[in-house]
Amino acid sequence: MKISHIEHLGIAVKSIEEALPYYEKVLGLKCYNIEEVADQKVKTAFLKVGDVKLELLEPTSEDSTIAKYIEKRGEGIHHLAFAVEDGVANALQEMEAAGIRLIDKAPRPGAEKLNIAFLHPKSTQGILTELCEPGQ
Ligand code: ZN
């Protein structure tokens, strides 16, 4: 697996509407895309910080994994996403062979037209890790 860069940081928020003024007015960043990912029961908002993005994640349903995360741990950094150059499917195979627990056995569509897959935080030093590649 070849990681090219950090694609984004995922941040769990209760409400994008309530969180955005901090990012935009206080930090001076600009939200350039808001998008719902029905599959993951989240609404996402994207801001750019140099080449790295921040992905705000708001649950759209009580049984969303983000809703459960906020319930247990509060708002905050939820995951770290690496862009991989040689394909998410290949990376997953490599990770599985290395004994890393996979949440996704195969890439699936994510926000921002990416193909994504998650690795389990129990296998990744406590950080929910997303691998992504341009897709769709
Ligand atoms: Zn993400």
Side-chain angles (χ1 to χ4, degrees):
M1 173 169 79
K2 183 161 190 307
I3 292 172
S4 59
H5 60 283
I6 293 177
E7 219 283 335
H8 62 270
L9 285 173
I11 299 170
V13 299
K14 286 180 192 156
S15 156
I16 284 174
E17 201 190 331
E18 283 171 27
L20 269 185
Y22 167 70
Y23 290 96
E24 294 197 299
K25 296 202 171 105
V26 181
L27 298 186
L29 303 173
K30 188 160 170 27
C31 173
Y32 66 91
N33 181 25
I34 291 188
E35 176 180 352
E36 193 165 331
V37 185
D39 177 45
Q40 290 165 63
K41 297 177 182 161
V42 290
K43 193 163 104 177
T44 60
F46 286 88
L47 306 103
K48 266 198 177 134
V49 188
D51 290 336
V52 179
K53 302 174 198 164
L54 300 181
E55 175 187 44
L56 306 183
L57 299 147
E58 172 191 318
T60 53
S61 153
E62 275 175 23
D63 62 345
S64 155
T65 56
I66 296 298
K68 288 174 194 155
Y69 180 89
I70 291 172
E71 208 172 285
K72 263 198 215 154
R73 306 166 80 165
E75 296 177 298
I77 291 186
H78 175 260
H79 65 270
L80 172 62
F82 291 122
V84 297
E85 277 180 355
D86 40 3
V88 173
N90 286 334
L92 286 175
Q93 270 188 359
E94 254 182 68
M95 292 298 100
E96 191 163 37
I100 301 293
R101 201 165 134 197
L102 310 182
I103 291 176
D104 298 301
K105 296 268 177 198
R108 59 190 164 100
E112 293 271 282
K113 298 188 166 64
L114 296 170
N115 291 327
I116 64 159
F118 283 97
L119 308 177
H120 199 285
K122 288 235 161 84
S123 294
T124 55
Q125 306 296 315
I127 298 174
L128 176 62
T129 300
E130 177 181 349
L131 304 176
C132 43
E133 67 186 350
Q136 301 170 55

